[in-house]
Amino acid sequence: MFPLGLLTTSVGFDVLYLITERDSFAFTAAHLVAAGVLMGVVTAATGWLDWFLVTPRGTRARRIGLLHGLVNAVVLVLFAVSWTLRLAETDWTPTWPALVAAWLGVLAGGLGGWLGGELVERLGISVDEGAHPDASSSLAPSRS
């Protein structure tokens, strides 16, 4: 969730920049995009491993997981484009193409986030098999 949070927050700082024209908001947005994309690449690597090694083949979860990964890859590409366009500006001021790429990225991120929630909350992927409302703490010694 951190990459999506960083990327979504960057769009908020873009809006603040458009309202106030304060360069510090543009600077912050650009750096949030960079952090979100870098963290997103790491998150994507672990997600693909989870999909490939853990998610059972031939299941709805496998299909949703693939779509989730592909949508989030598009999100990363859109924000990487936005960051590259910002990098070309000396004061990090976002151009309209950079803003449009980020806004499309945040819309796609909403879909990707919903698909991720579907995987965990509805399909139970990457949820501990012993999870329930009265489960013991994960820090408690295991009872074998």
Side-chain angles (χ1 to χ4, degrees):
M1 291 305 298
F2 281 107
L4 188 57
L6 290 166
L7 297 171
T8 302
T9 303
S10 75
V11 171
F13 275 91
D14 282 338
V15 170
L16 289 172
Y17 168 75
L18 291 173
I19 293 169
T20 66
E21 295 185 5
R22 290 183 58 191
D23 290 340
S24 59
F25 288 133
F27 179 83
T28 301
H31 286 77
L32 286 168
V33 170
V37 169
L38 290 173
M39 191 177 276
V41 169
V42 173
T43 302
T46 60
W48 282 113
L49 281 173
D50 196 34
W51 179 80
F52 187 73
L53 298 175
V54 177
T55 309
R57 298 185 192 285
T59 62
R60 178 171 178 264
R62 184 84 168 187
R63 294 186 302 276
I64 296 294
L66 179 61
L67 185 58
H68 170 69
L70 293 173
V71 167
N72 285 335
V74 168
V75 170
L76 288 178
V77 167
L78 286 166
F79 274 101
V81 166
S82 179
W83 188 79
T84 302
L85 293 169
R86 295 163 196 262
L87 189 61
E89 302 298 315
T90 56
D91 59 357
W92 296 97
T93 304
T95 60
W96 280 106
L99 290 170
V100 169
W103 293 337
L104 290 173
V106 86
L107 288 174
L111 174 60
W114 177 77
L115 290 168
E118 183 80 357
L119 284 168
V120 174
E121 299 295 331
R122 182 78 177 146
L123 300 171
I125 299 300
S126 293
V127 176
D128 188 295
E129 290 180 18
H132 59 82
D134 288 322
S136 62
S137 168
S138 59
L139 300 175
S142 71
R143 300 177 202 207
S144 305

